[in-house]
Amino acid sequence: NLLQLKLWNKYRVSNIPSLIFIDASTGKVVCRNGLLVIRDDPEGLEFPWGPKPFSEVVAGPLLRNNGQTLDSSALEGSHVGVYFSAHWCPPCRSLTRVLVESYRKIKEAGQKFEILFVSADRSEDSFKQYFSEMPWVAVPYTDEGRRSRLNRLYGIQGIPTLIVLDSKGDVITRQGRVEVLNDIECREFPWHPKPVLELTDSNAVQLNEGPCLVLFVDSEDDGESEAAKQLIQPIAEKIIAKYKAKEEEA
């Protein structure tokens, strides 16, 4: 059924069951992660479940691994990487090792950057063990409500996920994991999405995120790929600008 397919594509549904709340008057998505919402708020006290600003959802004390606490307001004015991860997940552990180096490089370059660890560990002990390797801040493991609200805010469906926010708390990219692995020297930080990318093993995951155009070229040696990029770059920029004007995801 064509209409069903259009709806699946429009809302980028990749697994089921999936429950998405929409504002009927504007057609805009209010909440992508409806299943988590009704699990966490069975009484509907937070209805209509619209997106809240990051600063509101994160509000409260944060931890450093030396036991020191600080208020979430300390994140204001910095780029923030919201890092959903857990010790039991091998891809998470390998990303954490890379991320520790990236974090140091970005801070040493004088950039205002903080990472916030949102744990999906299965016990407080494994959280503490994992967090001991991290030089950044975390939501306390015991604050399950706040961890869950951050998962809901960004519609997290798998880990590791690194969401990069600008200094106002708006999302720059949901593909922080791909960006960190592709840019070991952090030259492209804060990783604003590019309209055209070269397809690689590590960024192929983005093919699941929505409609993509893949252009195959004959040979890189003859400058074919650069010519192809010049051809589609302005078209891609135009499409992105159109969606930005409508305040929708491209």
Side-chain angles (χ1 to χ4, degrees):
N1 181 318
L2 191 60
L3 178 60
Q4 285 175 328
L5 194 61
K6 277 184 174 172
L7 287 168
W8 276 67
N9 285 338
K10 181 173 174 61
Y11 298 116
R12 302 202 312 278
V13 176
S14 56
N15 53 2
I16 53 171
S18 206
L19 177 61
I20 295 167
F21 295 115
I22 293 159
D23 179 340
S25 59
T26 62
K28 286 195 173 166
V29 172
V30 172
C31 169
R32 285 193 175 283
N33 225 341
L35 294 172
L36 269 182
V37 168
I38 56 176
R39 187 198 73 188
D40 290 351
D41 184 23
E43 305 290 312
L45 301 176
E46 292 179 40
F47 182 82
W49 304 306
K52 295 185 169 77
F54 169 70
S55 57
E56 192 180 316
V57 177
V58 80
L62 303 175
L63 293 178
R64 291 205 176 275
N65 63 14
N66 60 6
Q68 193 188 352
T69 63
L70 68 161
D71 189 74
S72 57
S73 59
L75 299 174
E76 284 167 19
S78 293
H79 283 79
V80 177
V82 190
Y83 184 36
F84 298 86
S85 188
H87 189 259
W88 53 262
C89 150
C92 291
R93 291 200 301 274
S94 57
L95 178 62
T96 297
R97 286 192 289 273
V98 178
L99 200 50
V100 167
E101 289 309 306
S102 301
Y103 177 74
R104 290 209 174 103
K105 283 174 188 159
I106 293 164
K107 300 279 272 188
E108 280 165 13
Q111 302 265 19
K112 293 189 81 175
F113 181 51
E114 196 47 76
I115 293 177
L116 174 68
F117 171 41
V118 183
S119 166
D121 289 293
R122 291 173 177 150
S123 72
E124 191 166 9
D125 283 344
S126 62
F127 160 75
K128 282 177 177 163
Q129 183 193 341
Y130 193 28
F131 187 40
S132 71
E133 304 163 20
M134 300 178 183
W136 44 74
V137 297
V139 176
Y141 185 78
T142 49
D143 195 342
E144 203 175 327
R146 197 161 26 140
R147 289 191 289 125
S148 185
R149 285 192 293 276
L150 284 160
N151 271 276
R152 269 163 43 194
L153 179 63
Y154 297 115
I156 301 303
Q157 294 187 339
I159 54 173
T161 294
L162 177 67
I163 305 227
V164 183
L165 310 178
D166 66 17
S167 55
K168 295 196 205 92
D170 295 327
V171 174
I172 292 176
T173 178
R174 298 178 58 87
Q175 300 292 341
R177 177 193 184 184
V178 171
E179 297 292 357
V180 163
L181 296 175
N182 272 354
D183 180 24
I184 296 297
E185 293 305 315
C186 306
R187 290 197 181 101
E188 306 278 330
F189 176 82
W191 303 301
H192 286 281
K194 294 187 181 76
V196 180
L197 285 173
E198 192 172 322
L199 190 59
T200 63
D201 284 357
S202 57
N203 67 28
V205 64
Q206 294 182 68
L207 295 173
N208 296 327
E209 293 283 306
C212 297
L213 171 72
V214 182
L215 181 63
F216 293 90
V217 294
D218 287 342
S219 161
E220 214 174 326
D221 305 338
D222 306 336
E224 288 261 329
S225 67
E226 194 47 46
K229 192 177 173 184
Q230 299 296 334
L231 177 71
I232 58 175
Q233 180 93 14
I235 300 168
E237 284 171 356
K238 207 168 163 183
I239 292 169
I240 286 170
K242 187 181 93 178
Y243 280 95
K244 203 169 181 181
K246 288 199 274 184
E247 292 181 7
E248 283 180 24
E249 285 188 58

